[in-house]
Amino acid sequence: MAMSRVASTAARAITSPSSLVFTRELQASPGPKKIVGVFYKANEYAEMNPNFLGCAENALGIREWLESKGHQYIVTPDKEGPDCELEKHIPDLHVLISTPFHPAYVTAERIKKAKNLQLLLTAGIGSDHVDLKAAAAAGLTVAEVTGSNTVSVAEDELMRILILVRNFLPGHHQVINGEWNVAAIAHRAYDLEGKTVGTVGAGRIGRLLLQRLKPFNCNLLYHDRLKMDSELENQIGAKFEEDLDKMLSKCDIVVINTPLTEKTKGMFDKERIAKLKKGVLIVNNARGAIMETQAVVDACNSGHIAGYSGDVWYPQPAPKDHPWRYMPNQAMTPHISGTTIDAQLRYAAGTKDMLDRYFKGEDFPAENYIVKDGELAPQYR
């Protein structure tokens, strides 16, 4: 099966230990452990849905289970600054759980202070809030719940493409404001059919998006470090583009689906954006820092980017004066695409499974490892 091949490949890719890296033994030693979870606070919304597990109040639904085993479970939304609640627990925690939606930034400085830390878990997908090189050098294990919210994000990307293409938001705002001006919407509303859509990155989310776009009869392109096999390419109807800039110059719509790494940080700067078609639409649910913030603002102001939508910012939460809040033709939201209730159930279950394996000294599913034995997973190298 394809998943088995992926898992096997991942295991070979990231389990070769480096003799120069000190590895902290992942197997939990006897006795209670201190586990800290950092999640966004839901306030009155926490009780509105029993499956709303991703908030600080409901804490992935694992408190009773952890405490029944004698472990200490500290949960907080307070993660920034030297006097925050998280900082108080850094010196003696064993496990830190965070999410991409309210990330606890794990810097090299924090890793140095965390003398007991063994395991960093991401409840969701995307562990770029961790200094992965520092984690590897310290012998920490970093893992996430691979696949837990891929469907959620791919569906959200498709929605954002349609919102931009059909110029939906101005019409919605007219209704709210008691207005009626069809021309103000229709002059820049298009069909998705026949448009060229390119995804930068075609991993699990990128492939799901391409599959969902196929019925719209688009011209589908993808750029990735790995080419799909021919059978899958034919099924999806997508064409591989080895040269990123050549692909981008063809695209009416560009979707970002690549992880944030040292190589991809600031990938879309002023020079690269200038190579895009004038009037391009961009959807970015990957990571905000892949884009150069001011370059996006300038291109939206000039009309070179005709529409920009996404749910990722840098930093997160985005400050009130973040310029993306105020640029024209944007359809931005807080980081929500991967934290649907369905996704929360999946990543809560995946987190519990990895904690259980940690207590028992068992390996995680190979595809979940981001750092293991001093080695980074291929997508982060």
Side-chain angles (χ1 to χ4, degrees):
M1 293 177 65
M3 185 61 74
S4 299
R5 292 198 298 272
V6 170
S8 175
T9 301
R12 291 195 301 272
I14 66 176
T15 55
S16 53
S18 170
S19 60
L20 300 177
V21 177
F22 170 73
T23 302
R24 303 185 193 184
E25 181 60 47
L26 180 59
Q27 181 174 351
S29 55
K33 296 291 171 286
K34 183 173 185 177
I35 299 156
V36 175
V38 177
F39 312 109
Y40 53 80
K41 193 168 180 62
N43 300 308
E44 69 273 20
Y45 303 105
E47 297 181 359
M48 291 185 175
N49 189 329
N51 292 325
F52 188 4
L53 301 180
C55 58
E57 290 86 347
N58 297 328
L60 301 183
I62 57 176
R63 181 180 295 282
E64 184 177 344
W65 173 70
L66 286 172
E67 292 179 349
S68 72
K69 293 180 175 293
H71 303 298
Q72 184 182 12
Y73 189 31
I74 306 293
V75 175
T76 180
D78 186 18
K79 63 189 181 74
E80 302 293 344
D83 300 319
C84 70
E85 185 67 20
L86 171 60
E87 201 70 28
K88 298 173 185 176
H89 301 288
I90 291 290
D92 62 346
L93 57 78
H94 297 90
V95 180
L96 176 60
I97 307 169
S98 185
T99 75
F101 320 106
H102 188 73
Y105 293 105
V106 184
T107 61
E109 182 181 1
R110 279 181 164 171
I111 288 171
K112 189 175 181 180
K113 292 178 183 176
K115 303 299 183 184
N116 293 338
L117 182 60
Q118 295 179 314
L119 177 60
L120 292 160
L121 289 177
T122 299
I125 302 171
S127 297
D128 48 89
H129 55 280
V130 177
D131 186 326
L132 296 177
K133 286 189 174 180
L140 300 176
T141 296
V142 182
E144 58 190 42
V145 191
T146 298
S148 59
N149 53 15
T150 52
V151 168
S152 312
V153 177
E155 287 183 357
D156 188 272
E157 289 177 341
L158 178 56
M159 174 190 72
R160 290 175 191 272
I161 290 171
L162 289 167
I163 284 172
L164 292 178
V165 169
R166 302 307 295 264
N167 202 25
F168 174 83
L169 280 181
H172 180 59
H173 292 154
Q174 283 187 23
V175 171
I176 293 171
N177 296 329
E179 301 169 354
W180 189 279
N181 187 346
V182 173
I185 307 162
H187 81 284
R188 49 178 296 162
Y190 297 88
D191 295 339
L192 180 53
E193 184 175 46
K195 302 300 183 290
T196 297
V197 184
T199 175
V200 183
R204 290 176 175 86
I205 296 171
R207 293 182 187 187
L208 286 174
L209 174 65
L210 291 170
Q211 289 170 344
R212 282 155 176 73
L213 283 168
K214 185 178 180 180
F216 287 88
N217 296 319
C218 302
N219 179 29
L220 300 177
L221 308 176
Y222 75 96
H223 171 82
D224 196 86
R225 60 189 179 84
L226 299 174
K227 188 179 185 296
M228 300 180 203
D229 64 59
S230 298
E231 183 179 354
L232 183 58
E233 270 192 351
N234 290 335
Q235 289 175 358
I236 294 175
K239 179 185 175 184
F240 176 67
E241 294 279 346
E242 186 172 2
D243 188 303
L244 174 60
D245 288 326
K246 285 185 178 179
M247 182 191 82
L248 293 174
S249 68
K250 303 173 184 177
C251 292
D252 302 302
I253 302 157
V254 174
V255 186
I256 313 300
N257 276 310
T258 189
L260 177 61
T261 67
E262 289 183 358
K263 293 179 181 178
T264 63
K265 186 175 183 179
M267 172 189 282
F268 282 80
D269 55 13
K270 180 179 180 180
E271 288 71 27
R272 175 155 278 144
I273 289 173
K275 298 176 183 178
L276 304 178
K277 276 187 178 182
K278 181 173 174 57
V280 69
L281 304 176
I282 298 178
V283 171
N284 179 15
N285 280 1
R287 288 296 181 265
I290 293 171
M291 317 299 290
E292 190 177 277
T293 300
Q294 191 58 45
V296 172
V297 174
D298 291 344
C300 284
N301 283 330
S302 71
H304 193 81
I305 294 176
Y308 185 92
S309 184
D311 70 337
V312 287
W313 310 68
Y314 185 79
Q316 288 188 185
K320 289 184 178 179
D321 62 351
H322 196 294
W324 287 0
R325 292 180 183 269
Y326 309 106
M327 62 190 183
N329 302 317
Q330 57 88 0
M332 296 295 295
T333 67
H335 195 168
I336 57 169
S337 63
T339 188
T340 62
I341 295 299
D342 302 282
Q344 289 178 47
L345 290 169
R346 291 189 291 264
Y347 63 66
T351 302
K352 181 179 180 181
D353 175 69
M354 286 192 286
L355 285 170
D356 192 43
R357 291 169 184 258
Y358 162 67
F359 297 140
K360 294 176 180 177
E362 299 175 357
D363 282 340
F364 302 156
E367 64 271 21
N368 285 10
Y369 285 108
I370 301 302
V371 176
K372 181 183 181 184
D373 297 333
E375 295 287 339
L376 274 65
Q379 66 267 33
Y380 283 99
R381 293 177 191 165

